[in-house]
């Protein structure tokens, strides 16, 4: 959205529809452009805490967008990744595990009460962490930091798993 808005704003800056999408400017003649109005402005993080105080509508719109999109994508991810209530009920059945007092169909209904809510709450927490990092001025964006930490941790888990399989140093660490 940013790239398209920036290109359209440079080409058709007088068009009102393009201005609703976003107007861009370069402060102090720098090469980097920042959104100054429009939809892109409200979906971008405020630069500093003082910007949050100066324009609280921008901050609230950004927070609502980040939390809402993170919750939505986490709920969507459970369906795509095979972690939905139906998939979990099937996995439990395959492992011959049951919930006391529930049949398979009622178990799916019972799991549907918890799994989507837990996924949305997890997405909200990740979104809140990302927003907090953006507001506090972390080096890079909050989302970038979360991605980097997650990727590094996955590599660490793979390393430990391989070391345990080989009987190497990983067994000494854990």
């Amino acid at each position: 959205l940013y790239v398209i808005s920036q290109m359209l704003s440079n080409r058709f800056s007088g068009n009102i529809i393009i201005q609703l999408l976003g107007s861009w400017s370069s402060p102090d003649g720098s090469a980097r452009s920042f959104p100054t109005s429009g939809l892109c402005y409200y979906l971008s993080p405020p630069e500093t805490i003082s910007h949050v105080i100066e324009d609280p509508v921008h901050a609230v719109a950004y927070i609502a967008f980040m939390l809402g999109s993170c919750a939505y994508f986490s709920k969507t991810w459970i369906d795509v990744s095979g972690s939905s209530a139906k998939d979990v009920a099937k996995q439990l059945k395959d492992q011959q595990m049951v919930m006391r007092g529930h049949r398979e169909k009622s178990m799916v209904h019972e799991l549907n009460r918890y799994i989507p809510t837990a996924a949305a709450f997890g997405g909200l927490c990740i979104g809140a962490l990302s927003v907090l990092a953006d507001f506090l001025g972390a080096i890079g964006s909050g989302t970038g930091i979360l991605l980097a930490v997650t990727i590094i941790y996955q590599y660490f888990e793979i390393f430990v798993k391989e070391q345990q399989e080989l009987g190497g140093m990983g067994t000494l660490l854990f």
Side-chain angles (χ1 to χ4, degrees):
L1 181 66
Y2 278 21
V3 173
I4 293 170
S5 170
Q6 219 170 358
M7 289 186 324
L8 290 173
S9 179
N10 287 337
R11 175 93 174 161
F12 307 106
S13 60
N15 190 331
I16 190 129
I17 294 174
I18 304 302
Q19 288 178 349
L20 287 174
L21 194 57
S23 296
W24 297 77
S25 70
S26 300
D28 301 330
S30 69
R32 186 171 178 212
S33 295
F34 294 95
T36 56
S37 66
L39 182 63
C40 287
Y41 172 72
Y42 288 104
L43 297 183
S44 65
E47 295 296 318
T48 61
I49 296 292
S50 65
H51 285 119
V52 172
I53 295 168
E54 291 171 9
D55 191 4
V57 174
H58 178 204
V60 169
Y62 174 70
I63 291 170
F65 170 72
M66 282 296 290
L67 295 182
S69 60
C70 286
Y72 173 75
F73 284 125
S74 63
K75 282 185 76 170
T76 304
W77 180 251
I78 62 168
D79 293 331
V80 173
S81 68
S83 301
S84 66
K86 188 174 163 183
D87 297 327
V88 171
K90 184 179 181 295
Q91 290 170 0
L92 290 174
K93 182 183 174 194
D94 291 345
Q95 295 174 1
Q96 298 176 348
M97 296 177 75
V98 294
M99 290 174 62
R100 185 173 293 181
H102 295 283
R103 294 184 180 157
E104 185 179 352
K105 291 200 187 263
S106 67
M107 188 165 50
V108 170
H109 177 70
E110 191 70 24
L111 289 172
N112 255 335
R113 291 177 52 195
Y114 298 107
I115 291 176
T117 305
F121 183 71
L124 283 172
C125 290
I126 289 174
L129 189 60
S130 179
V131 166
L132 183 66
D134 284 337
F135 282 176
L136 294 178
I139 298 173
S141 69
T143 307
I145 293 169
L146 287 172
L147 285 171
V149 168
T150 303
I151 291 168
I152 291 169
Y153 187 73
Q154 285 177 345
Y155 279 128
F156 176 73
E157 285 180 330
I158 292 169
F159 173 75
V160 169
K161 182 179 177 184
E162 288 176 355
Q163 290 299 317
Q164 286 177 346
E165 288 174 358
L166 296 174
M169 292 293 289
T171 55
L172 297 175
L173 293 173
F174 300 103

